[in-house]
């Protein structure tokens, strides 16, 4: 193991790939990036940045592609709107408009060609340098009461190397994910990862434990990704790069998540996320819960 992956200096950097096409949400995502779809009244991507900041990672690099300028606008100042709100004395909305600009230090880099998640992460190498860093995928919304990323950073500080978030998805769903072979450790929620396969067929999957969109990675991943040939779907896969680290003897651990997670890239899960988060809000929640109770009573009636 190298010195770099052992260094306990807390990382402050996170890479968020946002170059995906969002085909599952067409036509909504024809002109609007999928990461900007609102979950109640906040774009999905802002929840991801809130989570990063909460975990102590305020230095954000977004890896973007074509048609993503709305993301840059969202994390930039909007002087006209701000001035209008100031004139009206609408301090609550002013704070909400300023929040995305002020909460983090957001940078952007363009991934010229969509060559895969591994390639997107590699685009952020000059930003990351020789530090441990996190990768967060915009489709995975983790409930803010479940401190997954914080736990992963803790496990990385303890073991060095890299740490992935894992979820039991059932063998019939494993072909949509990266799958892992694991060994237990002393901690109940932590496993050692011995092998990884991207999007395996059910019969080839090493387990039904899937990688979900949170990673804490050692900087050695960049050298591994440079040597990674295209894999599943003809793309340079992050999973294959991490497998190379594990094969070379670098520690790779997994935190098995049992909390609340929504795949906002999936339409049904997206709807569930909107309903749950709206029902729990202090402002909208009471009226919305009343509506839901009435609505579901109607549904039971008409079924
Ligand atoms: C990516 C990763 C995959 C991981 C998944 C989690 O796949 O390649 O290993 O399991 O994210 O959401 P994608 O969803 O981009 O196809």
């Amino acid at each position: 193991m190298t010195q770099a992956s052992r260094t306990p200096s807390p990382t402050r950097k996170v890479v968020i790939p946002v170059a995906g096409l969002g085909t599952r949400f067409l036509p909504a995502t024809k002109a609007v990036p999928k990461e900007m779809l609102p979950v109640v009244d906040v774009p999905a991507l802002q929840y991801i940045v809130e989570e990063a900041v909460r975990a102590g990672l305020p230095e954000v690099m977004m890896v973007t592609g074509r048609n993503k300028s709305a993301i840059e606008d969202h994390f930039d100042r909007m002087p006209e709107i701000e001035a209008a709100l100031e004139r009206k004395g609408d301090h609550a909305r002013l704070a909400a408009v300023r929040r995305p600009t002020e909460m983090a230090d957001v940078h952007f880099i363009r991934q010229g060609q969509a060559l895969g998640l591994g390639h997107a992460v590699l685009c952020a190498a000059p930003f990351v340098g020789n530090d441990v860093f996190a990768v967060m995928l915009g489709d995975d919304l983790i409930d803010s009461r479940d401190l997954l990323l914080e736990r992963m950073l803790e496990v990385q500080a303890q073991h060095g190397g890299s740490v992935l978030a894992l979820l039991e998805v059932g063998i019939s769903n494993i072909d949509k994910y990266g799958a892992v072979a694991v060994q237990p450790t002393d901690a109940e929620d932590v496993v050692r990862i011995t092998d990884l396969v991207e999007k395996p067929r059910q019969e080839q999957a090493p387990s039904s434990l899937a990688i979900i969109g949170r990673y804490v990675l050692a900087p050695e991943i960049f050298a591994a990704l440079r040597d990674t040939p295209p894999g599943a779907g003809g793309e340079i896969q992050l999973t294959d790069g991490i497998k190379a680290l594990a094969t070379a003897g670098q520690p790779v651990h997994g935190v098995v998540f049992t909390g609340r997670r929504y795949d906002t890239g999936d339409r049904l899960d997206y709807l569930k996320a909107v309903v749950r988060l709206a029902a729990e809000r202090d402002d909208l929640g009471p009226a919305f819960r009343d509506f839901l109770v009435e609505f579901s009573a109607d549904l039971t009636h008409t079924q």
Side-chain angles (χ1 to χ4, degrees):
M1 185 189 324
T2 67
Q3 196 59 36
S5 59
R6 269 283 189 213
T7 310
S9 73
T11 177
R12 291 172 54 80
K13 292 178 181 168
V14 56
V15 174
I16 308 182
V18 291
L21 294 176
T23 42
R24 287 189 285 181
F25 269 89
L26 282 170
T29 48
K30 194 175 164 193
V32 176
K34 64 172 175 169
E35 296 81 4
M36 291 303 293
L37 294 180
V39 179
V40 192
D41 49 7
V42 175
L45 184 57
Q46 190 174 326
Y47 288 93
I48 307 287
V49 177
E50 297 272 5
E51 181 187 333
V53 171
R54 192 196 63 210
L57 310 175
E59 290 175 33
V60 179
M61 174 60 82
M62 295 195 184
V63 185
T64 69
R66 271 181 290 281
N67 278 334
K68 300 284 180 171
S69 53
I71 296 179
E72 295 186 33
D73 290 343
H74 184 72
F75 289 93
D76 196 358
R77 299 298 295 261
M78 194 60 93
E80 305 81 3
I81 294 185
E82 288 178 33
L85 292 170
E86 230 161 85
R87 274 197 304 275
K88 278 199 227 162
D90 191 341
H91 299 295
R93 285 209 178 84
L94 188 59
V97 165
R98 285 190 176 152
R99 173 94 189 128
T101 333
E102 290 172 348
M103 68 180 166
D105 193 3
V106 182
H107 309 267
F108 296 91
I109 189 166
R110 273 292 263 262
Q111 183 188 14
Q113 284 171 286
L115 298 179
L117 179 59
H119 177 256
V121 171
L122 195 49
C123 291
F127 162 77
V128 171
N130 205 27
D131 294 333
V132 170
F133 67 107
V135 172
M136 302 172 80
L137 304 187
D139 283 349
D140 279 306
L141 210 70
I142 302 293
D143 194 287
S144 62
R145 289 160 292 189
D146 298 317
L147 304 183
L148 172 61
L149 192 53
E150 284 85 345
R151 176 68 179 138
M152 293 170 70
L153 290 165
E154 201 174 84
V155 171
Q156 199 284 332
Q158 188 187 349
H159 293 282
S162 301
V163 180
L164 318 185
L166 303 176
L167 185 73
E168 176 55 62
V169 295
I171 199 74
S172 59
N173 291 315
I174 199 70
D175 60 351
K176 300 188 198 79
Y177 296 92
V180 291
V182 298
Q183 289 170 351
T185 69
D186 291 344
E188 212 187 316
D189 61 334
V190 181
V191 287
R192 185 170 177 118
I193 297 178
T194 55
D195 196 14
L196 303 90
V197 191
E198 179 66 12
K199 314 254 163 66
R201 293 218 308 272
Q202 205 169 309
E203 57 280 10
Q204 288 164 341
S207 76
S208 50
L209 272 180
I211 304 167
I212 54 169
R214 300 291 180 274
Y215 307 75
V216 177
L217 298 175
E220 287 81 357
I221 190 64
F222 296 120
L225 285 172
R226 282 186 198 104
D227 288 343
T228 300
E235 298 188 337
I236 297 171
Q237 296 291 351
L238 183 57
T239 304
D240 294 341
I242 300 168
K243 180 189 164 93
L245 295 182
T247 309
Q250 270 230 2
V252 180
H253 288 83
V255 170
V256 182
F257 184 60
T258 50
R260 289 150 285 203
R261 169 238 182 200
Y262 312 102
D263 175 5
T264 54
D266 174 81
R267 287 174 304 170
L268 185 60
D269 240 32
Y270 171 81
L271 288 173
K272 289 181 189 171
V274 174
V275 170
R276 266 185 206 269
L277 294 183
E280 287 167 2
R281 284 263 295 248
D282 289 340
D283 51 354
L284 295 165
F288 189 55
R289 284 196 300 272
D290 287 347
F291 160 76
L292 284 178
V293 169
E294 253 176 62
F295 184 64
S296 50
D298 278 357
L299 283 182
T300 335
H301 237 241
T302 49
Q303 261 173 2

